[in-house]
Amino acid sequence: MINKIGREIPDEYLQHGIEPFQGVSYRDGYEYRKAAPHVRAAGRGTGDKVMATIRDAIVATGLSDGMTVSFHHHLRDGDQVVNMVMKVIHDLGIKGLTVCASSLGHAHHFLVPCIEDGTVTGISTSGIRDEIGETVSAGKLKRPAVIRSHGGRARAIEDGTIKIDVAFIAAATSDAYGNASGKGGQSDTGVLSYADGDAKYADKVVVITDDLVAGPNFPASIQGVDVDYVVSVDSIGDPNKIASGALRLTKDTRELNMAREVAKCMYYSGYFKDGFSFQTGAGGPSLATTTFLKQYMDQDHIKCGWAMGGVTKPIVDLYEAGYIKQILDDQSFDLAAVASAHTGNHFEISASQYANPFNKGAFVNQLSFVILGALEVDTDFNVNVVQGSNGILRGAPGGHPDTAAGSSVSIIVAPLIRSRMPTIRDRVTSVTTPGESIDIVVTDYGIAVNPLRPDLIKSLTNAGMKLKTISELRDLAYQYAGKPQPVAFEKQVVALVEYRDGTIIDVIRKPKSLS
């Protein structure tokens, strides 16, 4: 079947009520009954849930072949819990598992042999990079991976699309009853937002911590009433590696110039008013934009009501200087954000509060602006942030589709050409975020505004900003770098890209180069 943006979705993946993507607003107003976990009531004398080892906890959960386990990634490249847990599961000989993770990357490399020997046969994730991305792209996972946004993952857990049998939660601190937090200890991550839904909806929950503290450990990100077992280990990871990977502060003149143009677009958009809200992505130009907002806030004597994210040092700096009144945090992207998470107006929110399209009002719907990156953008403004131009999985939707859909103004900032490959092109390799939710594209060779937003075209033009069409930017990219040759793919589908509402926006096939 051909979906609304012209992507062919094989019929075999459109069964059991699964539909092709039919537009950003297709499921607005959708009603459903939330899923619920299987719970065994604990009686008197069960306050201490501490198990001696991870193995003991896994055995106690009753984990068996074919079940689903979940993990979160607040330690990012410093995480050690996924590998620790999977090594024990592997040694126990449990097979056919689905791993439901908020994101996966280099730190979780032990999943590769688990995929190859059948310990893991399914993956649901909002990020898939490095060795795992290459392994899945090569078709070694038995079933196609399902790639979801952060909001889409929260939605899928709450509506029962994903049924988590056992959730493993890496916590900076926990008491013996399982009241756990991302704050404190030797592995402070600031927040545990992505694990909130896992704890509430999984049948069994195991907290793994390297700082077992006296209870009650309040305020708790994860409530002890949702936790079955607690395991104390020497280390859950290295918080110094939280800021590695996708996060990239820039000093590059070209990227700084793009960031200035993004700030100008925000200022002249008509939405830059006292109390505005915003979020930035993790790329260099996106982060740099934050630093250029200060001059406009000074000029108009206004303040930002709240910033959200993926929180980074540039946001923290503005917050500490009084330019941002509140921070809403679903992931601390660096150690400055981790430290700030301990302060008064820096608040932890769950992934569902952040971006779930099936609740009564996620914060993404209140965003004035979002500034995002892109690997590729096509002439319909569709964006790819998941699949490299060589066809290999290397990125993450994260909150990209969620914030683009919810914000008043969504801005993509990306170089016209990256590594001698055009960023603006006729057709993206795969679609992560549909063009109808992208408003402005800023490159180092010009700015294009989506024709669906005549209000923005008028505002920016009246401000003296010279705009190009997206086709003109594509033509420039092809002029300087040549028209890219399409990647050759096999028929085998290795991943499904699910839009935040549960419909299928694209499929990803095995590149012939990996055959």
Side-chain angles (χ1 to χ4, degrees), residues 15-151:
Q15 301 180 26
H16 310 295
I18 298 175
E19 299 179 89
F21 174 72
Q22 296 180 52
V24 169
S25 301
Y26 172 60
R27 285 186 169 171
D28 285 1
Y30 179 79
E31 294 186 11
Y32 69 102
R33 185 172 295 278
K34 286 187 177 182
H38 180 82
V39 177
R40 181 174 60 86
R44 286 169 50 184
T46 56
D48 188 341
K49 304 174 183 178
V50 177
M51 305 294 284
T53 66
I54 291 174
R55 180 188 178 96
D56 291 340
I58 291 173
V59 171
T61 66
L63 183 68
S64 61
D65 292 358
M67 286 187 171
T68 295
V69 296
S70 76
F71 301 96
H72 65 94
H73 75 294
H74 287 96
L75 276 160
R76 298 176 66 80
D77 280 354
D79 179 64
Q80 295 174 4
V81 168
V82 172
N83 288 347
M84 283 195 295
V85 170
M86 292 309 303
K87 284 177 181 177
V88 174
I89 290 173
H90 183 271
D91 290 346
L92 287 170
I94 299 171
K95 298 285 187 179
L97 296 181
T98 295
V99 171
C100 173
S102 55
S103 196
L104 295 170
H106 176 68
H108 314 120
H109 56 83
F110 188 72
L111 284 175
V112 172
C114 288
I115 291 169
E116 292 174 341
D117 71 5
T119 301
V120 173
T121 56
I123 286 176
S124 168
T125 182
S126 186
I128 189 161
R129 299 181 174 91
D130 303 309
E131 301 98 325
I132 302 171
E134 293 172 5
T135 300
V136 173
S137 297
K140 296 182 180 180
L141 188 67
K142 184 176 180 180
R143 293 175 280 121
V146 181
I147 300 172
R148 296 182 168 96
S149 68
H150 289 321

Side-chain angles (χ1 to χ4, degrees), residues 68-70 100 153 157 162-167 197-198 201-204:
T68 295
V69 296
S70 76
C100 173
R153 181 179 188 270
I157 291 171
I162 298 173
K163 181 66 184 74
I164 300 172
D165 295 292
V166 185
D198 302 49
Y201 290 88
D203 282 350
K204 297 289 175 65

Side-chain angles (χ1 to χ4, degrees), residues 423-442:
T423 301
I424 314 297
R425 50 180 58 206
D426 290 317
R427 180 179 171 89
V428 292
T429 307
S430 63
V431 178
T432 311
T433 302
E436 66 176 293
S437 62
I438 300 301
D439 299 316
I440 302 173
V441 175
V442 176

Side-chain angles (χ1 to χ4, degrees), residues 145-412:
V146 181
I147 300 172
R148 296 182 168 96
S149 68
H150 289 321
R153 181 179 188 270
R155 182 269 313 158
I157 291 171
E158 291 187 19
D159 72 11
T161 299
I162 298 173
K163 181 66 184 74
I164 300 172
D165 295 292
V166 185
F168 295 93
I169 297 174
T173 58
S174 177
D175 61 27
Y177 201 62
N179 295 298
S181 174
K183 299 179 178 67
Q186 64 184 7
S187 303
D188 194 335
T189 60
V191 299
L192 292 180
S193 304
Y194 296 134
D196 176 83
D198 302 49
K200 286 183 171 65
Y201 290 88
D203 282 350
K204 297 289 175 65
V205 178
V206 179
V207 166
I208 300 173
T209 185
D210 52 16
D211 192 1
L212 192 62
V213 300
N217 183 34
F218 286 165
S221 304
I222 305 299
Q223 304 295 322
V225 295
D226 295 319
V227 176
D228 295 276
Y229 305 108
V230 178
V231 181
S232 179
V233 297
D234 291 336
S235 174
I236 61 170
D238 182 0
N240 291 307
K241 294 183 179 180
I242 289 175
S244 61
L247 184 69
R248 184 172 58 85
L249 297 170
T250 185
K251 294 181 180 179
D252 182 86
T253 300
R254 180 181 64 164
E255 293 188 335
L256 292 174
N257 287 336
M258 286 192 288
R260 286 190 185 93
E261 292 301 295
V262 171
K264 285 176 64 177
C265 288
M266 294 171 66
Y267 181 69
Y268 290 116
S269 67
Y271 293 85
F272 195 79
K273 302 173 182 178
D274 191 46
F276 77 94
S277 57
F278 78 100
Q279 177 177 332
T280 61
S286 300
L287 290 177
T289 299
T290 305
T291 64
F292 292 113
L293 293 179
K294 180 177 178 293
Q295 68 184 74
Y296 292 114
M297 287 191 274
D298 283 336
Q299 181 176 310
D300 284 14
H301 306 289
I302 67 172
K303 299 290 176 65
C304 171
W306 49 272
M308 187 167 69
V311 179
T312 58
K313 187 178 186 300
I315 288 177
V316 170
D317 289 345
L318 282 182
Y319 164 68
E320 292 180 344
Y323 288 88
I324 297 173
K325 296 178 182 178
Q326 295 179 322
I327 294 176
L328 308 183
D329 191 345
D330 73 301
Q331 184 176 187
S332 299
F333 261 171
D334 56 29
L335 295 184
V338 169
S340 175
H342 293 258
T343 63
N345 283 331
H346 187 141
F347 300 105
E348 178 174 359
I349 60 173
S350 71
S352 187
Q353 288 175 297
Y354 168 53
N356 182 353
F358 282 10
N359 64 24
K360 299 177 183 180
F363 278 107
V364 293
N365 295 329
Q366 302 175 48
L367 276 172
S368 305
F369 303 97
V370 65
I371 303 95
L372 300 164
L375 295 175
E376 300 170 341
V377 183
D378 69 21
T379 51
D380 291 321
F381 287 82
N382 297 312
V383 176
N384 164 32
V385 297
V386 167
Q387 194 177 16
S389 297
N390 59 0
I392 297 175
L393 291 162
R394 52 164 290 192
H400 202 289
D402 305 308
T403 53
S407 61
S408 297
V409 181
S410 62
I411 303 174
I412 298 295

